[in-house]
Amino acid sequence: MSSISRDDVARLAQLARIDLAETELDRLAGQLTAIVDAVAQVSQVATRDVQATSHPLPLTNVFRADVVHPPLGQQAALAAAPAAEDGRFRVPQIMGEEP
Amino acid sequence: MSGLIGRTAVELAQALANREVSSREATQAHLDRIAAVDGSVHAFLHVDAEGALAAADAVDARRAAGEQLPTLAGVPVAVKDVLVTQGLPTTAGSRILQGWVPPYDATVVRKLRAAGLPILGKTNMDEFAMGSSTEHSAYGPTHNPWDLDRIPGGSGGGSAAALASYQAPLSIGSDTGGSIRQPAAVTGTVGVKPTYGGVSRYGVIALASSLDQVGPCARTVLDTALLHEVIGGHDPADSTSLAEPMPDIVGAARLGATGDLTGVRIGVVRELSGEGYQDGVRTRFEESLDLLRASGAEIVEVSCPNFPYALAAYYLILPSEASSNLARFDAMRYGLRVDDGAGTVERVMGATRAVGFGDEVKRRIILGTYALSAGYYDAYYGSAQKVRTLIQRDFDAAFTQVDVLVSPTAPTTAFRLGEKLDDPLAMYLNDVATIPANLAGVPGMSLPAGLAEDGLPVGFQILAPARADDRLYLVGAALETALESRWGGPLLSRVPNLTEVAR
């Protein structure tokens, strides 16, 4: 069965934006390999003729009447922000410096 | 249990309506109990004495003014910390949300407040509802009132333990793969996962959006039905909310309590029994079947051949959806931010999520990221979605033969804290019987079936077709009546006395 290497975990962690410690990489590689081995059994019954289901009950799109509702106020929206300035979220630098 | 905290919600509601008891007295009695025993149970992450008493006083004033109030007005309730509460800290058991105070109420919370239920506080849970033991809470585990060294189930262990330790007569849970039903089973309480879309999820911190469902928890089937009625119904703010009216669940619970199930067909799921199920669990389950048969029900065995693949499909679908849902914890708008001042947004996110998320959450996010990544999508996520179709077909076929399906809720009684922490796969097996319902969106209930040979509670699970939640209550109430007449009282009358700390 498929095996998830330490490097795979490092790459996935980067995609998921989680910095992992060296010890975590090793531990997760072992655990994830075992879990993926176990869950891979889905392919035994998931044959071509079976349709995929994404949702438990059929859904239709929902619209609301085009009426103005008072939104969450600026103060309330910013109250829990890690940093705010001039009524806006203050965030770290977006782009890194070019090497 | 004697006194106000020993009463069911129905009894409390009656006493409140008759003005024998005030909501302040009922609420204060529960706050006192929390202060006395929650040091050893740890069902609550946050207790809101002031807010609960203010809500109680408001109900008392309205009642004194002669106003007609909803049935449960004045009966206190505990709310799982996955539902946002305006002005009350909400963490979902995660460090990344430590100290967060939401700016709005979840629809379910708004409905509780509108119906006059004082909110005692927020209950402990596995972080972002990922787990079956509450050991994955960033704030420490909850202890099972039947044996404080054992798990109370999860993720909603706090909501279930609060009921079993008489800290609240009612509580709210959420169930993505069994997080209401499995804690109910291992604590000797009642819990219902409604039909998908039956209760609004607006303001519920999302784990896996195609599986999550909020539901009621209580000590009796009728109390559960009354709470279900308060929180259920259509919500325009939730696009997955069912538009049609709810069935008469309270009527069904009252009818079931008469004990007559003549003409009801009950199917025992062959694949949810046998190997892997503890002897005492099987014995109590079989005894319950005998009682149902004696109540007039017809019991047949039904096969759901794809159920053995449900667990695997679930542990692909859930991490996939969770990895996407938890991307919102980006350290920018609310919650924790770890910033040494030098990094870009990407660096800050990585550092924040490293510190803010616990092991199980990291494990599932990475697993979900893997299952959704190019090259693996068809083999894993795509196949899991096909299994979902097969599970739904199994349910459809089964419900042409029977009115409800039944099984043990969990394969074993409560295990010891720490016992399965290092073995995620063993932990996942707890949900083997509850997961199929989430994959198909059908409703399910767990109610106490007695104590196993180890003296710990066993849960009996009932599953019904989508939108037929009333059948859970009909059959559940009938079984509860039969079991309690055999026991000579509720199972929880046998829960050990907790040492009350002097205040």
Side-chain angles (χ1 to χ4, degrees), chain A residues 12-95:
Chain A
L12 293 164
Q14 198 191 354
L15 286 172
R17 304 280 188 272
I18 303 175
D19 295 349
L20 291 180
E22 296 295 314
T23 51
E24 284 181 299
L25 290 176
D26 289 326
R27 194 174 68 242
L28 276 169
Q31 287 174 340
L32 291 174
T33 297
I35 294 170
V36 168
D37 273 356
V39 297
Q41 59 168 289
V42 290
S43 60
Q44 290 170 20
V45 284
T47 48
R48 271 165 177 253
D49 54 314
V50 180
Q51 292 251 320
T53 298
S54 61
H55 211 264
L57 301 176
L59 284 182
T60 48
N61 205 357
V62 177
F63 297 93
R64 69 165 171 84
D66 188 12
V67 181
V68 177
H69 291 277
L72 197 63
Q74 190 189 60
Q75 262 193 322
L78 290 172
E85 192 177 307
D86 300 335
R88 289 169 288 182
F89 294 104
R90 184 180 168 86
V91 301
Q93 182 182 342
I94 302 293
M95 307 290 284

Side-chain angles (χ1 to χ4, degrees), chain B residues 91-118:
Chain B
T91 68
S94 182
R95 195 174 162 198
I96 211 164
L97 283 177
Q98 187 161 24
W100 181 53
V101 180
Y104 70 106
D105 274 335
T107 297
V108 164
V109 172
R110 184 175 56 72
K111 287 186 173 196
L112 292 173
R113 295 195 204 271
L117 283 82

Side-chain angles (χ1 to χ4, degrees), chain B residues 62-86:
Chain B
R62 288 168 64 190
R63 190 163 266 132
E67 218 178 302
Q68 269 300 329
L69 298 175
T71 309
L72 292 178
V75 179
V77 65
V79 176
K80 188 177 181 183
D81 207 29
V82 75
L83 291 99
V84 303
T85 40
Q86 187 170 2

Side-chain angles (χ1 to χ4, degrees), chain B residues 95-410:
Chain B
R95 195 174 162 198
I96 211 164
L97 283 177
Q98 187 161 24
W100 181 53
V101 180
Y104 70 106
D105 274 335
T107 297
V108 164
V109 172
R110 184 175 56 72
K111 287 186 173 196
L112 292 173
R113 295 195 204 271
L117 283 82
I119 295 173
L120 294 167
K122 307 295 290 291
T123 57
N124 197 12
M125 56 186 283
D126 287 294
E127 183 176 5
F128 291 113
M130 298 190 201
S132 312
S133 66
T134 73
E135 291 168 295
H136 298 298
S137 167
Y139 305 100
T142 298
H143 300 260
N144 191 324
W146 289 84
D147 177 347
L148 295 174
D149 292 331
R150 290 180 187 266
I151 60 119
S155 66
S159 282
L163 299 170
S165 55
Y166 296 92
Q167 300 186 61
L170 300 169
S171 61
I172 301 292
S174 71
D175 190 312
T176 303
S179 287
I180 287 176
R181 290 163 287 158
Q182 182 256 6
V186 299
T187 58
T189 58
V190 182
V192 165
K193 180 202 98 70
T195 297
Y196 183 83
V199 174
S200 168
R201 296 182 303 156
Y202 178 72
V204 179
I205 297 170
L207 169 54
S209 304
S210 78
L211 303 163
D212 295 344
Q213 189 50 221
V214 172
C217 312
R219 286 192 291 262
T220 72
V221 172
L222 181 57
D223 282 2
T224 311
L226 286 165
L227 184 59
H228 192 155
E229 197 175 56
V230 170
I231 61 174
H234 182 244
D235 178 14
D238 174 358
S239 67
T240 60
S241 174
L242 295 176
E244 57 259 50
M246 280 195 295
D248 180 12
I249 48 185
V250 173
R254 292 193 193 279
L255 183 62
T258 62
D260 183 9
L261 289 179
T262 305
V264 176
R265 293 167 304 165
I266 296 176
V268 178
V269 183
R270 183 184 301 154
E271 288 77 10
L272 299 181
S273 62
E275 205 188 328
Y277 288 78
Q278 189 180 325
D279 284 347
V281 169
R282 284 199 301 220
T283 310
R284 295 291 94 82
F285 178 69
E286 295 292 335
E287 286 169 3
S288 291
L289 291 180
D290 290 341
L291 290 176
L292 288 168
R293 206 175 279 119
S295 302
E298 183 193 339
I299 313 275
V300 295
E301 189 179 73
V302 174
S303 177
C304 295
N306 295 292
F307 277 21
Y309 299 95
L311 188 75
Y314 176 84
Y315 277 101
L316 285 163
I317 291 169
L318 179 137
S320 299
E321 294 188 9
S323 70
S324 166
N325 273 327
L326 270 62
R328 65 167 54 88
F329 298 101
D330 58 7
M332 299 300 134
R333 293 154 299 157
Y334 50 87
L336 182 71
R337 176 184 288 179
V338 175
D339 186 359
D340 57 13
T344 60
V345 157
E346 192 179 328
R347 298 290 324 122
V348 170
M349 282 185 202
T352 301
R353 289 157 66 86
V355 172
F357 291 146
D359 283 349
E360 181 64 17
V361 172
K362 289 178 187 172
R363 194 152 45 226
R364 294 201 199 181
I365 290 176
I366 303 281
L367 179 60
T369 307
Y370 175 75
L372 292 176
S373 58
Y376 298 106
Y377 182 93
D378 286 342
Y380 293 123
Y381 188 67
S383 294
Q385 289 194 315
K386 289 183 172 186
V387 171
R388 194 166 192 169
T389 306
L390 297 172
I391 303 279
Q392 293 185 352
R393 285 184 195 163
D394 282 359
F395 272 117
D396 288 346
F399 286 131
T400 62
Q401 303 167 59
V402 295
D403 299 308
V404 295
L405 293 169
V406 296
S407 77
T409 309

